[in-house]
Structure formats: structure tokens, C-alpha cells
Amino acid sequence: MPQEISPSTFKYFGSSFEGMIDKLSGAFGKFEGELIDRAEDFHWSLDYSSSDWASVITGYHQHEFQFKIEPTASSVEYLSIVLPRSGGMGFSHGSTKADAGRDRLLLYNTLEPEQVRMYGQSNVIDELLIDWNIIQQTLDQTFERPIGESLALVPELEKTTSGGQMIAALAETAIRSLRDPSIHSPVALAHITQALADLIIRVVPHRLSRFLERKPCMIAPWHIRRAIEFMEANVSRPIRMPMVAQAAGVSTRALQLGFRAFRETTPAAYLSMLRLRGARLDLLDPENTNTTKQICLKWGFFHFGRFSAIYRSTYGESPSATRKRVRGAPVYCP
């Protein structure tokens, strides 16, 4: 049985490998594991602490083992930052294989690894989990469009680099805040996780990194900024492009050319992106009692099938799957 330390803190331990796998199954998905070497006993422990936007897991394992994860509809999506204390951890995802030790961090989306390995005797791992919604919102704000495909982060980061040192330091601070009630501050932790999200997107290579280099040269002129402000202020109301152009003080054609040049899209597509983002945030809100169709209509999508197709192509899941996952998502340790 777990020792419950507080409503958001749990501790599990045991001396059976099968018991550990049973206990972890259902946290991120279905687990199937095997020991690397035969062992008559297998001592392990897991400490878990959670706050609104982040959690930390400290795992101890006596022997090396590997396991496969099969995500389920209720699996929660996190960005994991792995900080090995002794031993190491590695994972594989398609053709990507990555390992981390005391001098190397590991970063990955928790729904992506197909196989994970814990290696080294008396393995001790700290794993900071950041709600993927923070990463998603930071991506949307940074690139000014919804990002639905895999971010494809380069998963290994040397702690000796300046970026690695800063990410490790912020992660350590977040872990201490989660572990120690005397210094825990929800506001401070929210700022730390947001800083980590922004830093990782800007420092760790990924499939969108090339667009960051172009951002300083793409400062939009005043009429584009005014058009965007008008869209954001009226995003839930019926808007036609001549209305946006009038609010921006330019012709419809000038508005079209400006968005093509500075946002690499059309004004209508940009407005659709804002509405899609608003619908996404409503669907991710567990306290929102509106039906999926009501949310769809609220944000100006009057054809539910078309909205579902656009939503799925952008975020990799259907609107109903998002709602089901948020409402039925379990905490890491039941």
C-alpha cells in the first residue's frame, strides 16, 4: 500500500518487479516490462509530488530493466525532463534512440517513447513532468499558429552547455518547490514551468527551430498588428475580412498581402487559427460544461464534421477524444 504524505504526494515501494509494473500500469498507459538480468529480488521505490502544472517523480530501481508503453485514450500528455542521479535512462521512438546519464538530460513527450530502459545498478532518476498544454500554448504564442504535429525535440541535452545548465537549474528549482512544502509557491512554480517551456522551445533543437531565426526579421507593420488585435477582440463574433481591413485602415488586398508577407498565411486562415485555439482551450478546460458542439458553434465553426477534421489534423486527436481525455484523465498514482 502507498504511504500518503499529502493530497498531492505519494510514495510507493516494493520488492517485486511484477508488483512495480502492476502499480505503474495505467499511469501513462499499458506497461509491459522485463528485467535485463535475472534477479531474485527487485527493490524499488517511487516518490511522486504534483501541483497544477507540473509533477516530479523520483524512482529508485535495484536492477536494470526495460519496458514498453502503450498509451490509452486517458493517458495524460507531458513534457518529461529526466535528470539521472545514478545510473541512466534511455528510450526509443521510431528511428530515434536517446540516452541520459549524470551529465546529460533527456527530454521527450511522454506519449511518444515505444520502449524505455533503466540501466545501472541502484538507479535513481528524477523526472520533472510539465503539462503539455503549457508547451502547446507557448508554441502557439511563439509561432502564432497552432502546432499539431510532433515537435520532434532533439532528446539529448548536455548539461555542460549553457542551455543545458539553465534548463537543469530551472528543473532543479521546480523539483525542490514540488518536494518541499515550506518553499512551495504555486505562482512561482507557474512562472518556472512557463520559463522552462519558453527556454526549451528556443534552445533545444526541434523541427520548428529554423523559424525562430526568421522571427526578428518578421516584425509586422502597424496595420497587421491592428488587424490581429481586432480579430482577437472579436474572435467569437461573426467577422468578415472587409471588416478586418476597415479596422486596420487598409484595403482588403493590402491586408491579404501583409498577412502573406509577415504571417505566411491569409487573414481568414489566421482568424480560423485563433478560433481553433479558443475551441481547444475550452475543450481542455475540465470545468467547461458545454457540449463539444456548443463549443464548436461558440467559436464560429458551423459545420461540425469540418471542424472535427481540421481539429484532428492540427492536434492529432478528435475534439471528443480531447474532452474524454481531460475529463477522465487520472493522476499519475491512483
Side-chain angles (χ1 to χ4, degrees), residues 49-119:
S49 298
S50 176
S51 187
D52 288 340
W53 296 108
S55 304
V56 60
I57 303 166
T58 298
Y60 163 76
H61 314 98
Q62 188 177 11
H63 299 286
E64 296 186 355
F65 67 96
Q66 61 188 19
F67 59 91
K68 294 181 179 179
I69 310 172
E70 183 181 341
T72 65
S74 61
S75 296
V76 184
E77 190 173 16
Y78 297 101
L79 171 70
S80 173
I81 304 175
V82 178
L83 298 93
R85 306 303 183 188
S86 65
M89 174 177 170
F91 77 88
S92 62
H93 171 56
S95 59
T96 300
K97 297 183 184 298
D99 291 279
R102 294 190 65 181
D103 297 323
R104 187 185 305 141
L105 304 177
L106 201 61
L107 303 98
Y108 67 94
N109 180 307
T110 56
L111 298 188
E112 292 183 346
E114 296 158 0
Q115 187 163 10
V116 178
R117 175 170 178 168
M118 301 293 188
Y119 54 86

